[in-house]
Amino acid sequence: MQPATSPTAGVPAGRNHGTPLTRRRLVSGLAAVALAVPFALGAAGCGDDSAGDDGGPVKLSVFWWGGEARAKLTEDALALYTKKHPDVTFEKTWQANQGYFDKLATLTAGGNPPDLFQIDDNYLAEYAGRSTTLDLGSYSDSGKLDVSKFPKSLLEYGVVDGKLAGVAAGENTQGLVYNKTLLTKNGLPEPTTGMSWEEHIAWAEQVAKKTKVPGTQDPSADYKALWVWLRQQGKDLYNGKELGFTAEDVKKWFELWKGARDRGATPTPDVIHEGNSSDITKQLVVTGKSATSWVWVNQMPDLKKNTKDELGVVAYPGDPSAQWARASMYWSVFKGSKHKDVAVDVINFLNNDPEAVALLGTDRGLPSNMDLRAKVSETATDPAMKQSIQVESDLAQKFGASPQVPIKGHSKVKSELVKAAENAQYGRATPAQAAEQFVTACKSAIA
């Protein structure tokens, strides 16, 4: 895909944008506006001179995070909506992931949220709990929001306290990515879906001895891996408003990976720390410092851009039914929007219009509409993208029920896991001490 042109905020779709506005200029400009006057994006959500849902022209404010490529795809899809609904134009604003939720919090606290906004499972429950998000249940019940082609567990993963707070913009699941070239060159077997955690570690030890490259990144700091492992033990990350696990559970998790480190199956703590970064370019499977990395399946195309080696992907170890159809991100509607019906119709369009879904591709994950997902798969030309679609489609047959949407404080829980796990990895604490530290911090985070 060629680099996208820079998006323009506040320009109705279909109109000549003139000089491109770079993301840096856009974000810095937004910061200045936020200090000086009510945010333009919020003005559309909370009352401007455009008509409401009773008819007439509508300008809908939309806010999302991502890079320039996503911005171009999203703008193209919104322009297509305007082409089919000439009375609806868009106030479009985007920025990088970093700082996005700080900006969204500022807008909502100031009473100026966008009509339609992108959100993920780190914050969905928090915003729903503050009655910021519109309950989309009545729209799905009436068919105005068509979710009939969604996997059941994907739809359920947007429900908070019995209300549909967000609709998946795409589907994702956990994936263990491995260096296929390295294994083939050394005559080693590839990992398989369904191998146990102990089998995975033994395999990684074998890889390390033969290739001198650690067989697996240590995922003890990775909440995705811990979450799947907990579900395989009959536990979960959360249970209602409480934690779904104990310090004893976490101790066993940390002990599992201490054993792997002691056997030489993983890198050293300093290298593990590098791999704990969420930056795709720093994943150890592409930097050559480990034969595997623990990622989201839809990251395969981006991983492949950072290595010349062939990559493979399978489910995380253990019973694959512990994985689920996770919303990579959601579209939510501001509860106080003047344009609720229009905003919901845009969500419906982005998920169910064949042209729009083809435009958006897999940028936000696999299309939620299973019929249209199959069509996107048929037309995909990127081998890594086709591979990720195939793997997730295969895993979909094995998915279990979705867990509850993470509760308020989830982001803090994730960062505390990294701290505790790294304390154990560096030997600053025993697995038991690190587990107690983690659980204590988690209880404070979700209080």
mmCIF file with all atom_site columns, all heavy atoms in Angstrom, residues 280-298:
data_model
loop_
_atom_site.group_PDB
_atom_site.id
_atom_site.type_symbol
_atom_site.label_atom_id
_atom_site.label_alt_id
_atom_site.label_comp_id
_atom_site.label_asym_id
_atom_site.label_entity_id
_atom_site.label_seq_id
_atom_site.pdbx_PDB_ins_code
_atom_site.Cartn_x
_atom_site.Cartn_y
_atom_site.Cartn_z
_atom_site.occupancy
_atom_site.B_iso_or_equiv
_atom_site.pdbx_formal_charge
_atom_site.auth_seq_id
_atom_site.auth_comp_id
_atom_site.auth_asym_id
_atom_site.auth_atom_id
_atom_site.pdbx_PDB_model_num
ATOM 1   N N   . ILE A 1 280 ? 5.962  -2.772  16.876 1.00 0.00 ? 280 ILE A N   1
ATOM 2   C CA  . ILE A 1 280 ? 6.109  -3.914  15.976 1.00 0.00 ? 280 ILE A CA  1
ATOM 3   C C   . ILE A 1 280 ? 7.567  -4.110  15.553 1.00 0.00 ? 280 ILE A C   1
ATOM 4   O O   . ILE A 1 280 ? 8.052  -5.241  15.458 1.00 0.00 ? 280 ILE A O   1
ATOM 5   C CB  . ILE A 1 280 ? 5.223  -3.718  14.721 1.00 0.00 ? 280 ILE A CB  1
ATOM 6   C CG1 . ILE A 1 280 ? 3.762  -3.994  15.068 1.00 0.00 ? 280 ILE A CG1 1
ATOM 7   C CG2 . ILE A 1 280 ? 5.661  -4.618  13.582 1.00 0.00 ? 280 ILE A CG2 1
ATOM 8   C CD1 . ILE A 1 280 ? 3.474  -5.435  15.381 1.00 0.00 ? 280 ILE A CD1 1
ATOM 9   N N   . THR A 1 281 ? 8.280  -3.013  15.313 1.00 0.00 ? 281 THR A N   1
ATOM 10  C CA  . THR A 1 281 ? 9.649  -3.120  14.824 1.00 0.00 ? 281 THR A CA  1
ATOM 11  C C   . THR A 1 281 ? 10.599 -3.697  15.873 1.00 0.00 ? 281 THR A C   1
ATOM 12  O O   . THR A 1 281 ? 11.717 -4.084  15.537 1.00 0.00 ? 281 THR A O   1
ATOM 13  C CB  . THR A 1 281 ? 10.183 -1.750  14.378 1.00 0.00 ? 281 THR A CB  1
ATOM 14  O OG1 . THR A 1 281 ? 10.265 -0.870  15.517 1.00 0.00 ? 281 THR A OG1 1
ATOM 15  C CG2 . THR A 1 281 ? 9.274  -1.127  13.329 1.00 0.00 ? 281 THR A CG2 1
ATOM 16  N N   . LYS A 1 282 ? 10.153 -3.766  17.136 1.00 0.00 ? 282 LYS A N   1
ATOM 17  C CA  . LYS A 1 282 ? 11.005 -4.273  18.210 1.00 0.00 ? 282 LYS A CA  1
ATOM 18  C C   . LYS A 1 282 ? 10.638 -5.693  18.642 1.00 0.00 ? 282 LYS A C   1
ATOM 19  O O   . LYS A 1 282 ? 11.227 -6.229  19.583 1.00 0.00 ? 282 LYS A O   1
ATOM 20  C CB  . LYS A 1 282 ? 10.938 -3.326  19.409 1.00 0.00 ? 282 LYS A CB  1
ATOM 21  C CG  . LYS A 1 282 ? 11.524 -1.944  19.117 1.00 0.00 ? 282 LYS A CG  1
ATOM 22  C CD  . LYS A 1 282 ? 11.463 -1.031  20.328 1.00 0.00 ? 282 LYS A CD  1
ATOM 23  C CE  . LYS A 1 282 ? 12.060 0.342   20.005 1.00 0.00 ? 282 LYS A CE  1
ATOM 24  N NZ  . LYS A 1 282 ? 11.973 1.275   21.156 1.00 0.00 ? 282 LYS A NZ  1
ATOM 25  N N   . GLN A 1 283 ? 9.673  -6.293  17.957 1.00 0.00 ? 283 GLN A N   1
ATOM 26  C CA  . GLN A 1 283 ? 9.316  -7.665  18.300 1.00 0.00 ? 283 GLN A CA  1
ATOM 27  C C   . GLN A 1 283 ? 10.502 -8.583  17.982 1.00 0.00 ? 283 GLN A C   1
ATOM 28  O O   . GLN A 1 283 ? 11.103 -8.501  16.909 1.00 0.00 ? 283 GLN A O   1
ATOM 29  C CB  . GLN A 1 283 ? 8.074  -8.097  17.541 1.00 0.00 ? 283 GLN A CB  1
ATOM 30  C CG  . GLN A 1 283 ? 6.812  -7.337  17.945 1.00 0.00 ? 283 GLN A CG  1
ATOM 31  C CD  . GLN A 1 283 ? 6.521  -7.425  19.432 1.00 0.00 ? 283 GLN A CD  1
ATOM 32  O OE1 . GLN A 1 283 ? 6.397  -8.510  19.994 1.00 0.00 ? 283 GLN A OE1 1
ATOM 33  N NE2 . GLN A 1 283 ? 6.414  -6.279  20.085 1.00 0.00 ? 283 GLN A NE2 1
ATOM 34  N N   . LEU A 1 284 ? 10.826 -9.453  18.904 1.00 0.00 ? 284 LEU A N   1
ATOM 35  C CA  . LEU A 1 284 ? 12.058 -10.226 18.797 1.00 0.00 ? 284 LEU A CA  1
ATOM 36  C C   . LEU A 1 284 ? 12.079 -11.166 17.606 1.00 0.00 ? 284 LEU A C   1
ATOM 37  O O   . LEU A 1 284 ? 13.154 -11.505 17.095 1.00 0.00 ? 284 LEU A O   1
ATOM 38  C CB  . LEU A 1 284 ? 12.280 -11.013 20.099 1.00 0.00 ? 284 LEU A CB  1
ATOM 39  C CG  . LEU A 1 284 ? 12.363 -10.175 21.378 1.00 0.00 ? 284 LEU A CG  1
ATOM 40  C CD1 . LEU A 1 284 ? 12.760 -11.063 22.559 1.00 0.00 ? 284 LEU A CD1 1
ATOM 41  C CD2 . LEU A 1 284 ? 13.342 -9.017  21.234 1.00 0.00 ? 284 LEU A CD2 1
ATOM 42  N N   . VAL A 1 285 ? 10.912 -11.585 17.132 1.00 0.00 ? 285 VAL A N   1
ATOM 43  C CA  . VAL A 1 285 ? 10.884 -12.491 15.990 1.00 0.00 ? 285 VAL A CA  1
ATOM 44  C C   . VAL A 1 285 ? 11.372 -11.788 14.720 1.00 0.00 ? 285 VAL A C   1
ATOM 45  O O   . VAL A 1 285 ? 11.865 -12.446 13.795 1.00 0.00 ? 285 VAL A O   1
ATOM 46  C CB  . VAL A 1 285 ? 9.460  -13.074 15.784 1.00 0.00 ? 285 VAL A CB  1
ATOM 47  C CG1 . VAL A 1 285 ? 8.511  -12.041 15.191 1.00 0.00 ? 285 VAL A CG1 1
ATOM 48  C CG2 . VAL A 1 285 ? 9.497  -14.336 14.926 1.00 0.00 ? 285 VAL A CG2 1
ATOM 49  N N   . VAL A 1 286 ? 11.271 -10.457 14.663 1.00 0.00 ? 286 VAL A N   1
ATOM 50  C CA  . VAL A 1 286 ? 11.756 -9.730  13.477 1.00 0.00 ? 286 VAL A CA  1
ATOM 51  C C   . VAL A 1 286 ? 13.136 -9.116  13.702 1.00 0.00 ? 286 VAL A C   1
ATOM 52  O O   . VAL A 1 286 ? 13.833 -8.802  12.737 1.00 0.00 ? 286 VAL A O   1
ATOM 53  C CB  . VAL A 1 286 ? 10.759 -8.644  13.009 1.00 0.00 ? 286 VAL A CB  1
ATOM 54  C CG1 . VAL A 1 286 ? 9.455  -9.274  12.597 1.00 0.00 ? 286 VAL A CG1 1
ATOM 55  C CG2 . VAL A 1 286 ? 10.553 -7.565  14.051 1.00 0.00 ? 286 VAL A CG2 1
ATOM 56  N N   . THR A 1 287 ? 13.554 -8.966  14.960 1.00 0.00 ? 287 THR A N   1
ATOM 57  C CA  . THR A 1 287 ? 14.912 -8.460  15.214 1.00 0.00 ? 287 THR A CA  1
ATOM 58  C C   . THR A 1 287 ? 15.917 -9.606  15.263 1.00 0.00 ? 287 THR A C   1
ATOM 59  O O   . THR A 1 287 ? 17.120 -9.370  15.389 1.00 0.00 ? 287 THR A O   1
ATOM 60  C CB  . THR A 1 287 ? 14.977 -7.669  16.539 1.00 0.00 ? 287 THR A CB  1
ATOM 61  O OG1 . THR A 1 287 ? 14.592 -8.522  17.631 1.00 0.00 ? 287 THR A OG1 1
ATOM 62  C CG2 . THR A 1 287 ? 14.065 -6.453  16.488 1.00 0.00 ? 287 THR A CG2 1
ATOM 63  N N   . GLY A 1 288 ? 15.418 -10.853 15.180 1.00 0.00 ? 288 GLY A N   1
ATOM 64  C CA  . GLY A 1 288 ? 16.299 -12.015 15.161 1.00 0.00 ? 288 GLY A CA  1
ATOM 65  C C   . GLY A 1 288 ? 16.778 -12.446 16.532 1.00 0.00 ? 288 GLY A C   1
ATOM 66  O O   . GLY A 1 288 ? 17.689 -13.268 16.648 1.00 0.00 ? 288 GLY A O   1
ATOM 67  N N   . LYS A 1 289 ? 16.156 -11.926 17.587 1.00 0.00 ? 289 LYS A N   1
ATOM 68  C CA  . LYS A 1 289 ? 16.608 -12.250 18.943 1.00 0.00 ? 289 LYS A CA  1
ATOM 69  C C   . LYS A 1 289 ? 15.774 -13.327 19.614 1.00 0.00 ? 289 LYS A C   1
ATOM 70  O O   . LYS A 1 289 ? 16.009 -13.691 20.765 1.00 0.00 ? 289 LYS A O   1
ATOM 71  C CB  . LYS A 1 289 ? 16.629 -10.973 19.793 1.00 0.00 ? 289 LYS A CB  1
ATOM 72  C CG  . LYS A 1 289 ? 17.624 -9.935  19.269 1.00 0.00 ? 289 LYS A CG  1
ATOM 73  C CD  . LYS A 1 289 ? 17.640 -8.684  20.117 1.00 0.00 ? 289 LYS A CD  1
ATOM 74  C CE  . LYS A 1 289 ? 18.654 -7.676  19.568 1.00 0.00 ? 289 LYS A CE  1
ATOM 75  N NZ  . LYS A 1 289 ? 18.702 -6.429  20.392 1.00 0.00 ? 289 LYS A NZ  1
ATOM 76  N N   . SER A 1 290 ? 14.768 -13.820 18.898 1.00 0.00 ? 290 SER A N   1
ATOM 77  C CA  . SER A 1 290 ? 13.961 -14.943 19.373 1.00 0.00 ? 290 SER A CA  1
ATOM 78  C C   . SER A 1 290 ? 13.269 -15.567 18.169 1.00 0.00 ? 290 SER A C   1
ATOM 79  O O   . SER A 1 290 ? 13.030 -14.883 17.161 1.00 0.00 ? 290 SER A O   1
ATOM 80  C CB  . SER A 1 290 ? 12.910 -14.477 20.395 1.00 0.00 ? 290 SER A CB  1
ATOM 81  O OG  . SER A 1 290 ? 12.035 -15.539 20.730 1.00 0.00 ? 290 SER A OG  1
ATOM 82  N N   . ALA A 1 291 ? 12.951 -16.844 18.287 1.00 0.00 ? 291 ALA A N   1
ATOM 83  C CA  . ALA A 1 291 ? 12.272 -17.534 17.183 1.00 0.00 ? 291 ALA A CA  1
ATOM 84  C C   . ALA A 1 291 ? 10.777 -17.274 17.185 1.00 0.00 ? 291 ALA A C   1
ATOM 85  O O   . ALA A 1 291 ? 10.106 -17.569 16.188 1.00 0.00 ? 291 ALA A O   1
ATOM 86  C CB  . ALA A 1 291 ? 12.539 -19.037 17.250 1.00 0.00 ? 291 ALA A CB  1
ATOM 87  N N   . THR A 1 292 ? 10.233 -16.729 18.272 1.00 0.00 ? 292 THR A N   1
ATOM 88  C CA  . THR A 1 292 ? 8.794  -16.454 18.340 1.00 0.00 ? 292 THR A CA  1
ATOM 89  C C   . THR A 1 292 ? 8.519  -15.148 19.058 1.00 0.00 ? 292 THR A C   1
ATOM 90  O O   . THR A 1 292 ? 9.312  -14.671 19.866 1.00 0.00 ? 292 THR A O   1
ATOM 91  C CB  . THR A 1 292 ? 8.020  -17.565 19.097 1.00 0.00 ? 292 THR A CB  1
ATOM 92  O OG1 . THR A 1 292 ? 8.435  -17.572 20.470 1.00 0.00 ? 292 THR A OG1 1
ATOM 93  C CG2 . THR A 1 292 ? 8.238  -18.932 18.493 1.00 0.00 ? 292 THR A CG2 1
ATOM 94  N N   . SER A 1 293 ? 7.351  -14.583 18.767 1.00 0.00 ? 293 SER A N   1
ATOM 95  C CA  . SER A 1 293 ? 6.822  -13.419 19.496 1.00 0.00 ? 293 SER A CA  1
ATOM 96  C C   . SER A 1 293 ? 5.327  -13.621 19.687 1.00 0.00 ? 293 SER A C   1
ATOM 97  O O   . SER A 1 293 ? 4.670  -14.305 18.901 1.00 0.00 ? 293 SER A O   1
ATOM 98  C CB  . SER A 1 293 ? 7.078  -12.121 18.728 1.00 0.00 ? 293 SER A CB  1
ATOM 99  O OG  . SER A 1 293 ? 8.432  -11.721 18.802 1.00 0.00 ? 293 SER A OG  1
ATOM 100 N N   . TRP A 1 294 ? 4.789  -12.983 20.727 1.00 0.00 ? 294 TRP A N   1
ATOM 101 C CA  . TRP A 1 294 ? 3.383  -13.125 21.111 1.00 0.00 ? 294 TRP A CA  1
ATOM 102 C C   . TRP A 1 294 ? 2.651  -11.846 20.718 1.00 0.00 ? 294 TRP A C   1
ATOM 103 O O   . TRP A 1 294 ? 2.867  -10.790 21.311 1.00 0.00 ? 294 TRP A O   1
ATOM 104 C CB  . TRP A 1 294 ? 3.271  -13.365 22.616 1.00 0.00 ? 294 TRP A CB  1
ATOM 105 C CG  . TRP A 1 294 ? 4.149  -14.505 23.078 1.00 0.00 ? 294 TRP A CG  1
ATOM 106 C CD1 . TRP A 1 294 ? 5.507  -14.482 23.205 1.00 0.00 ? 294 TRP A CD1 1
ATOM 107 C CD2 . TRP A 1 294 ? 3.730  -15.814 23.436 1.00 0.00 ? 294 TRP A CD2 1
ATOM 108 N NE1 . TRP A 1 294 ? 5.963  -15.702 23.630 1.00 0.00 ? 294 TRP A NE1 1
ATOM 109 C CE2 . TRP A 1 294 ? 4.892  -16.549 23.790 1.00 0.00 ? 294 TRP A CE2 1
ATOM 110 C CE3 . TRP A 1 294 ? 2.479  -16.450 23.520 1.00 0.00 ? 294 TRP A CE3 1
ATOM 111 C CZ2 . TRP A 1 294 ? 4.850  -17.873 24.193 1.00 0.00 ? 294 TRP A CZ2 1
ATOM 112 C CZ3 . TRP A 1 294 ? 2.435  -17.776 23.941 1.00 0.00 ? 294 TRP A CZ3 1
ATOM 113 C CH2 . TRP A 1 294 ? 3.598  -18.468 24.262 1.00 0.00 ? 294 TRP A CH2 1
ATOM 114 N N   . VAL A 1 295 ? 1.810  -11.928 19.700 1.00 0.00 ? 295 VAL A N   1
ATOM 115 C CA  . VAL A 1 295 ? 1.234  -10.723 19.111 1.00 0.00 ? 295 VAL A CA  1
ATOM 116 C C   . VAL A 1 295 ? -0.258 -10.922 18.847 1.00 0.00 ? 295 VAL A C   1
ATOM 117 O O   . VAL A 1 295 ? -0.850 -11.920 19.257 1.00 0.00 ? 295 VAL A O   1
ATOM 118 C CB  . VAL A 1 295 ? 1.950  -10.378 17.786 1.00 0.00 ? 295 VAL A CB  1
ATOM 119 C CG1 . VAL A 1 295 ? 3.433  -10.118 18.026 1.00 0.00 ? 295 VAL A CG1 1
ATOM 120 C CG2 . VAL A 1 295 ? 1.777  -11.498 16.756 1.00 0.00 ? 295 VAL A CG2 1
ATOM 121 N N   . TRP A 1 296 ? -0.854 -9.951  18.150 1.00 0.00 ? 296 TRP A N   1
ATOM 122 C CA  . TRP A 1 296 ? -2.194 -10.094 17.597 1.00 0.00 ? 296 TRP A CA  1
ATOM 123 C C   . TRP A 1 296 ? -2.062 -10.564 16.154 1.00 0.00 ? 296 TRP A C   1
ATOM 124 O O   . TRP A 1 296 ? -1.159 -10.118 15.434 1.00 0.00 ? 296 TRP A O   1
ATOM 125 C CB  . TRP A 1 296 ? -2.956 -8.766  17.654 1.00 0.00 ? 296 TRP A CB  1
ATOM 126 C CG  . TRP A 1 296 ? -3.212 -8.268  19.036 1.00 0.00 ? 296 TRP A CG  1
ATOM 127 C CD1 . TRP A 1 296 ? -2.620 -7.193  19.641 1.00 0.00 ? 296 TRP A CD1 1
ATOM 128 C CD2 . TRP A 1 296 ? -4.116 -8.807  19.998 1.00 0.00 ? 296 TRP A CD2 1
ATOM 129 N NE1 . TRP A 1 296 ? -3.093 -7.036  20.914 1.00 0.00 ? 296 TRP A NE1 1
ATOM 130 C CE2 . TRP A 1 296 ? -4.016 -8.023  21.170 1.00 0.00 ? 296 TRP A CE2 1
ATOM 131 C CE3 . TRP A 1 296 ? -5.001 -9.895  19.992 1.00 0.00 ? 296 TRP A CE3 1
ATOM 132 C CZ2 . TRP A 1 296 ? -4.773 -8.273  22.318 1.00 0.00 ? 296 TRP A CZ2 1
ATOM 133 C CZ3 . TRP A 1 296 ? -5.755 -10.145 21.139 1.00 0.00 ? 296 TRP A CZ3 1
ATOM 134 C CH2 . TRP A 1 296 ? -5.636 -9.348  22.274 1.00 0.00 ? 296 TRP A CH2 1
ATOM 135 N N   . VAL A 1 297 ? -2.939 -11.437 15.722 1.00 0.00 ? 297 VAL A N   1
ATOM 136 C CA  . VAL A 1 297 ? -2.834 -12.039 14.395 1.00 0.00 ? 297 VAL A CA  1
ATOM 137 C C   . VAL A 1 297 ? -2.807 -10.988 13.294 1.00 0.00 ? 297 VAL A C   1
ATOM 138 O O   . VAL A 1 297 ? -2.072 -11.128 12.314 1.00 0.00 ? 297 VAL A O   1
ATOM 139 C CB  . VAL A 1 297 ? -3.989 -13.047 14.170 1.00 0.00 ? 297 VAL A CB  1
ATOM 140 C CG1 . VAL A 1 297 ? -4.055 -13.468 12.703 1.00 0.00 ? 297 VAL A CG1 1
ATOM 141 C CG2 . VAL A 1 297 ? -3.803 -14.284 15.046 1.00 0.00 ? 297 VAL A CG2 1
ATOM 142 N N   . ASN A 1 298 ? -3.585 -9.896  13.458 1.00 0.00 ? 298 ASN A N   1
ATOM 143 C CA  . ASN A 1 298 ? -3.646 -8.924  12.367 1.00 0.00 ? 298 ASN A CA  1
ATOM 144 C C   . ASN A 1 298 ? -2.371 -8.102  12.235 1.00 0.00 ? 298 ASN A C   1
ATOM 145 O O   . ASN A 1 298 ? -2.251 -7.276  11.333 1.00 0.00 ? 298 ASN A O   1
ATOM 146 C CB  . ASN A 1 298 ? -4.866 -7.996  12.516 1.00 0.00 ? 298 ASN A CB  1
ATOM 147 C CG  . ASN A 1 298 ? -4.682 -6.921  13.573 1.00 0.00 ? 298 ASN A CG  1
ATOM 148 O OD1 . ASN A 1 298 ? -3.977 -7.124  14.563 1.00 0.00 ? 298 ASN A OD1 1
ATOM 149 N ND2 . ASN A 1 298 ? -5.319 -5.792  13.382 1.00 0.00 ? 298 ASN A ND2 1
#
